[in-house]
């Protein structure tokens, strides 16, 4: 009689190894003998493969070596909310102790209407730390430095994860704040305060999400989030003509619902169209950081297109978008803002010009800045994370705040501005970032959707767009066509583009005339 096989429980790391070796052609029978489990157990792992891989992608290597199941906490929403709060506090460099985490867990449990018997025991804290791979709680210094060791460890893991993907199929997305009307304030504010008591520099803010693949051959159109659902400047405008994906949220923040919507309605369709056009398999990998505004990775999966999280506290070292891409994007936007303010118009002050700038202006400027982001700059941003990538070398000029200094000095009141003031201005987006309150965190975890109640008044846009008659448009295109045909920089494509729209306007004008009846002209 055969002896009974001794029960053996494998870690998640071992389960991943088995699944990879099955892919390489090894037999389930041989693997079951080597790892001391039954063939039925290995078959069960294959059925749960997607869940195992997704769970492991957001779990530290040390945890995978110890943990055996993907079972979540019985207080999963509280667990998630507590980790969001913890991540935010660590990013600020605030020292956090075990007792402080337990007290916060009790408070969040009350806010979420949780189990009254929950006690935030030491066992809960230990299990919570293990689930999220938190080795220590203490932080030294004013701000927690990036974890170089964790970043180095992740490079090998990332290499294994992307072994079956091409650079065209691996993407990174990240958000940044943009105080789109902010200016170097010291000199300008003192000047304006004399003529307008109580003057304060504008602090209107948008959130911009940028995403590109590692080969820099597919730049996803930007997502822009404002406070207002329908700014006045969008009146009579075809929203499909915007060069970005515009959404609103009551604080102009990214939140989980908006990110999920962007993933499903923008990222996945764009990637599938790109893959089909380039003869690539219908699969892709999106790398994102573990910000509170990002949904659980299990929710960011459609077919073989999925998202994975970078390890905590390594984004400043290895996340591509953080390697100067977003900084350069905002730098180029601010150049366009300054040039707009410096356009000849002696009747308006700088402040009056600033007030006339609308969300629509900002959207087109930032979209143009993204379009002008070079292939070389995007490819170079992946070197820290994916050093084995080989691209054609391109000379990429460094981001240099000094390029803005001559433009800033042309602004009345800023003639004597110093470089330090410009440096402070370029960092204003980071300083003004609003924190998630406990209520915000609870709303994120419980899936409260974005607030669409903001009216068109919220953005402060003073201009609306009237409907342009077809006849006026046709005349304007005639003039534009003559200008383009005479310009030395014009290309055949430029001329054909203007001619196409001139013809559309003319056809629309005659179409309206043909539809009129003789009775329409009776007095």
């Amino acid at each position: 009689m055969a002896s009974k096989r001794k029960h053996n429980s494998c870690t998640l790391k071992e389960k991943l190894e088995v699944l990879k070796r099955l892919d390489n052609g090894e037999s389930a029978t041989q693997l079951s003998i080597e790892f001391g489990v039954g063939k039925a157990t290995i078959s069960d792992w294959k059925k749960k493969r997607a869940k195992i891989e997704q769970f492991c992608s957001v779990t530290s290597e040390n945890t995978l070596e110890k943990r055996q199941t993907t079972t979540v906490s019985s207080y999963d929403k509280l667990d998630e909310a507590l980790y969001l709060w913890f991540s935010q506090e660590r990013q600020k460099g605030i020292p956090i102790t075990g007792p402080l985490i337990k007290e916060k867990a009790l408070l969040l449990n009350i806010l979420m209407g949780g189990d009254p018997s929950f006690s935030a025991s030491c066992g809960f804290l230990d299990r919570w730390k293990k689930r999220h791979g938190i080795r220590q709680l203490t932080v030294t210094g004013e701000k927690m430095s990036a974890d170089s060791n964790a970043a180095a460890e992740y490079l090998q893991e990332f290499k294994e994860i992307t072994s079956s993907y091409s650079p065209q199929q691996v993407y990174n997305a990240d958000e940044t704040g943009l105080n789109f009307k902010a200016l170097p304030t010291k000199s300008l504010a003192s000047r304006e305060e004399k003529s307008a008591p109580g003057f304060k520099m504008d602090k209107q803010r948008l959130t911009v999400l940028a995403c590109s693949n590692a080969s820099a051959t597919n730049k996803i159109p930007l997502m822009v989030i404002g406070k207002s659902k329908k700014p006045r400047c969008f009146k009579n405008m075809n929203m499909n003509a915007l060069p970005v994906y515009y959404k609103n949220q009551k604080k102009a923040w990214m939140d989980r619902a908006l990110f999920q919507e962007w993933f499903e309605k923008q990222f996945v369709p764009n990637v599938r169209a790109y893959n089909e056009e380039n003869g690539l398999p219908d699969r892709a990998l999106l790398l994102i950081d573990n910000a509170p505004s990002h949904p659980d990775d299990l929710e960011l999966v459609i077919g073989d297109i999925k998202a994975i999280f970078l390890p905590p506290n390594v984004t400043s070292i290895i996340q591509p978008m953080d390697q100067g891409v977003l900084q350069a994007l905002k730098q180029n936007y601010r150049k366009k803002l300054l040039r707009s303010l410096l356009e000849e118009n002696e009747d308006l002050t700088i402040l009056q010009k600033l007030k006339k700038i609308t969300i629509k202006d900002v959207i087109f400027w930032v979209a143009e800045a993204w379009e002008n982001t070079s292939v070389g700059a995007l490819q170079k941003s992946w070197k820290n994370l994916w050093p084995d990538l080989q691209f054609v070398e391109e000379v990429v000029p460094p981001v240099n705040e000094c390029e803005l200094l001559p433009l800033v000095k042309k602004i009345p009141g800023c003639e004597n501005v110093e470089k330090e003031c410009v440096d402070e201005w370029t960092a204003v987006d980071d300083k003004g970032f609003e924190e998630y309150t406990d209520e915000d965190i609870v709303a994120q975890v419980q899936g409260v959707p974005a607030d669409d109640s903001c009216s068109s008044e919220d953005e402060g846009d003073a201009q609306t767009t009237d409907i342009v008659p077809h006849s006026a448009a046709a005349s304007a295109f005639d003039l534009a066509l003559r200008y383009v045909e005479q310009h030395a920089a014009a290309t055949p494509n430029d001329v054909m583009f203007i001619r196409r729209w001139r013809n559309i306007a003319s056809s629309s004008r005659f179409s309206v005339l043909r539809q009129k009846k003789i009775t329409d002209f009776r007095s």
Side-chain angles (χ1 to χ4, degrees):
M1 184 175 178
S3 60
K4 186 176 180 180
R5 175 176 51 83
K6 182 180 178 181
H7 175 76
N8 185 39
S9 296
C10 291
T11 65
L12 288 173
K13 185 176 182 179
E14 291 172 327
K15 292 177 183 179
L16 276 180
E17 182 184 348
V18 169
L19 292 172
K20 289 178 181 177
R21 290 170 65 175
L22 285 171
D23 291 341
N24 293 331
E26 296 190 40
S27 72
T29 301
Q30 184 60 40
L31 290 171
S32 67
I33 295 172
E34 180 180 342
F35 286 86
V37 296
K39 287 181 63 177
T41 300
I42 291 182
S43 177
D44 188 49
W45 294 348
K46 289 171 65 178
K47 292 177 183 177
K48 297 179 180 179
R49 177 177 192 140
K51 185 176 181 181
I52 292 173
E53 289 182 337
Q54 287 292 328
F55 185 88
C56 293
S57 68
V58 294
T59 307
S60 69
E61 187 73 16
N62 290 338
T63 302
L64 293 181
E65 293 174 353
K66 300 174 183 176
R67 186 159 181 157
Q68 298 175 348
T69 69
T70 59
T71 306
V72 297
S73 166
S74 56
Y75 299 101
D76 56 330
K77 293 295 183 183
L78 173 60
D79 181 288
E80 187 178 358
L82 186 61
Y83 185 68
L84 294 183
W85 168 81
F86 174 81
S87 300
Q88 176 172 270
E89 298 305 298
R90 287 293 292 263
Q91 288 172 2
K92 293 188 294 184
I94 297 177
I96 301 175
T97 64
L100 182 59
I101 291 177
K102 292 164 67 175
E103 286 298 321
K104 179 57 70 171
L106 290 170
L107 176 60
L108 290 173
N109 183 63
I110 294 172
L111 287 175
M112 298 174 72
D115 184 354
S117 64
F118 174 72
S119 61
S121 65
C122 292
F124 167 82
L125 176 61
D126 289 339
R127 290 189 296 272
W128 179 84
K129 288 167 59 179
K130 288 179 181 178
R131 277 192 295 273
H132 296 286
I134 299 170
R135 295 185 296 273
Q136 61 179 12
L137 297 175
T138 57
V139 182
T140 58
E142 292 184 0
K143 187 172 183 180
M144 183 175 63
S145 60
D147 192 338
S148 300
N149 291 335
E153 291 174 5
Y154 184 71
L155 293 187
Q156 182 59 37
E157 182 180 342
F158 177 77
K159 187 175 181 179
E160 295 175 2
I161 292 172
T162 56
S163 59
S164 60
Y165 293 88
S166 73
Q168 293 169 290
Q169 296 171 295
V170 182
Y171 293 76
N172 176 230
D174 194 21
E175 306 94 342
T176 183
L178 179 64
N179 290 327
F180 59 90
K181 288 189 179 182
L183 288 175
T185 59
K186 290 182 179 177
S187 300
L188 186 58
S190 61
R191 174 190 174 95
E192 293 291 345
E193 282 171 352
K194 294 177 182 178
S195 59
F199 165 80
K200 290 184 179 180
M201 290 304 297
D202 207 309
K203 293 183 180 179
Q204 293 187 60
R205 183 182 180 278
L206 297 173
T207 293
V208 178
L209 179 144
C211 178
S212 173
N213 61 0
S215 63
T217 52
N218 188 21
K219 288 194 291 186
I220 310 292
L222 296 175
M223 180 181 189
V224 176
I225 304 171
K227 289 184 179 180
S228 177
K229 184 177 183 180
K230 293 182 179 178
R232 286 194 291 257
C233 59
F234 287 176
K235 184 179 179 182
N236 299 324
M237 184 175 183
N238 174 14
M239 296 295 287
N240 292 327
L242 284 176
V244 304
Y245 184 59
Y246 179 83
K247 301 300 290 184
N248 78 292
Q249 201 261 4
K250 62 182 179 180
K251 294 184 178 181
W253 288 351
M254 175 65 79
D255 63 25
R256 294 183 166 211
L258 288 179
F259 194 94
Q260 182 86 35
E261 180 180 336
W262 172 81
F263 180 82
E264 294 175 357
K265 295 184 178 180
Q266 293 293 306
F267 179 74
V268 172
N270 186 293
V271 168
R272 282 182 166 164
Y274 172 81
N275 286 347
E276 182 177 357
E277 181 181 341
N278 290 274
L280 296 169
D282 186 25
R283 60 198 305 261
L285 196 63
L286 174 65
L287 274 70
I288 54 178
D289 59 33
N290 59 344
S293 56
H294 295 161
D296 187 271
D297 61 309
L298 295 175
E299 301 175 39
L300 299 176
V301 181
I302 297 181
D304 286 331
I305 300 176
K306 61 182 180 179
I308 61 172
F309 287 120
L310 290 165
N313 203 40
V314 300
T315 55
S316 63
I317 301 175
I318 61 175
Q319 178 163 239
M321 286 295 164
D322 278 342
Q323 310 309 308
V325 175
L326 294 177
Q327 183 185 5
L329 174 70
K330 294 192 285 187
Q331 186 95 338
N332 288 330
Y333 165 79
R334 289 194 164 94
K335 288 181 184 177
K336 299 179 187 302
L337 172 64
L338 289 176
R339 286 168 182 159
S340 172
L341 296 176
L342 292 171
E343 288 179 355
E344 292 295 331
N345 191 332
E346 297 180 359
D347 296 332
L348 297 178
T349 66
I350 291 294
L351 182 58
Q352 290 170 332
K353 290 180 181 180
L354 198 63
K355 286 184 176 180
K356 289 176 69 69
I357 292 173
T358 67
I359 295 292
K360 186 168 70 174
D361 296 325
V362 175
I363 282 174
F364 278 91
W365 289 338
V366 77
E368 187 179 347
W370 177 236
E371 184 179 348
N372 293 338
T373 302
S374 73
V375 169
L378 288 168
Q379 291 177 347
K380 185 178 179 181
S381 70
W382 286 80
K383 283 193 172 181
N384 290 352
L385 178 61
W386 208 341
D388 296 337
L389 284 185
Q390 297 294 327
F391 295 117
V392 176
E393 288 295 327
E394 175 184 338
V395 178
V396 181
V399 176
N400 186 1
E401 286 83 358
C402 290
E403 294 177 7
L404 295 175
L405 188 57
L407 287 174
V408 172
K409 286 188 173 183
K410 292 181 181 180
I411 297 176
C414 294
E415 294 85 354
N416 299 318
V417 71
E418 300 292 338
K419 179 180 178 297
E420 289 72 18
C421 185
V422 176
D423 293 341
E424 184 179 337
W425 173 44
T426 57
V428 71
D429 302 312
D430 301 325
K431 293 181 180 180
F433 194 79
E434 299 177 79
E435 295 179 15
Y436 285 92
T437 65
D438 290 346
E439 290 74 14
D440 293 327
I441 290 174
V442 169
Q444 289 272 23
V445 170
Q446 294 181 334
V448 177
D451 187 347
D452 288 337
S453 62
C454 297
S455 70
S456 62
E457 308 294 323
D458 291 338
E459 299 293 353
D461 295 329
Q463 300 178 357
T464 58
T465 304
D466 296 328
I467 295 177
V468 179
H470 299 304
S471 57
S475 299
F477 280 122
D478 274 329
L479 180 62
L481 183 60
R482 292 201 300 273
Y483 174 79
V484 172
E485 288 174 340
Q486 297 168 10
H487 202 286
T491 67
N493 287 339
D494 295 333
V495 175
M496 294 303 295
F497 179 78
I498 299 294
R499 288 181 67 87
R500 174 175 174 266
W501 275 101
R502 191 272 309 271
N503 294 339
I504 289 174
S506 298
S507 299
S508 300
R509 177 180 61 182
F510 288 118
S511 176
V512 171
L513 291 175
R514 283 196 300 269
Q515 291 173 7
K516 288 184 178 291
K517 301 177 181 178
I518 193 169
T519 54
D520 296 335
F521 298 95
R522 291 177 181 173
S523 58

